[in-house]
């Protein structure tokens, strides 16, 4: 599989049958569906207009939602933020 754009975390969502990767390269930062081929999609590219810094960990819940962490661009802010992408993405 190519074009993963600096992945740090990945999760297989059994409910929807997709592989989601947290991308970190500029212009691709955030959670993206990377498999199956032809179903690639951006799930979130920012939060309230602010880009993600460095998404790191991701888990899928049994309802089809996703939780992921993000270290803000200003790394003086600790801890990392936790975001949720609801089912139906």
């Amino acid at each position: 599989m190519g074009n993963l754009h600096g992945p740090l975390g990945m999760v297989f969502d059994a409910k929807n049958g997709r592989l989601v990767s947290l991308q970190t390269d500029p212009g691709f930062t955030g959670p993206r569906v990377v498999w199956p081929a032809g179903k690639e999609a951006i799930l979130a590219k920012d939060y309230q207009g602010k880009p993600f810094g460095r998404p790191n960990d991701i888990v899928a819940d049994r309802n089809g939602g996703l939780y992921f962490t993000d270290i803000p661009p200003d790394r003086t802010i600790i801890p990392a933020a936790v975001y949720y992408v609801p089912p139906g993405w």
Side-chain angles (χ1 to χ4, degrees):
M1 183 180 307
N3 298 321
L4 292 181
H5 305 288
L8 284 182
M10 294 182 143
V11 67
F12 180 73
D13 174 31
K15 181 170 180 137
N16 295 309
R18 298 185 273 187
L19 180 63
V20 179
S21 174
L22 291 174
Q23 313 288 278
T24 61
D25 285 348
F28 296 94
T29 306
R32 300 167 59 94
V33 175
V34 296
W35 185 86
K39 301 286 185 177
E40 297 90 348
I42 299 168
L43 300 180
K45 63 181 180 177
D46 61 42
Y47 179 72
Q48 297 182 344
K50 296 179 183 177
F52 297 117
R54 189 162 175 86
N56 192 15
D57 297 316
I58 186 167
V59 295
D61 67 21
R62 68 178 77 188
N63 297 319
L66 298 169
Y67 290 91
F68 69 97
T69 62
D70 181 44
I71 299 170
D74 176 4
R75 294 178 185 242
T76 61
I77 301 171
I78 304 294
V82 177
Y83 296 100
Y84 181 68
V85 179
W89 38 270

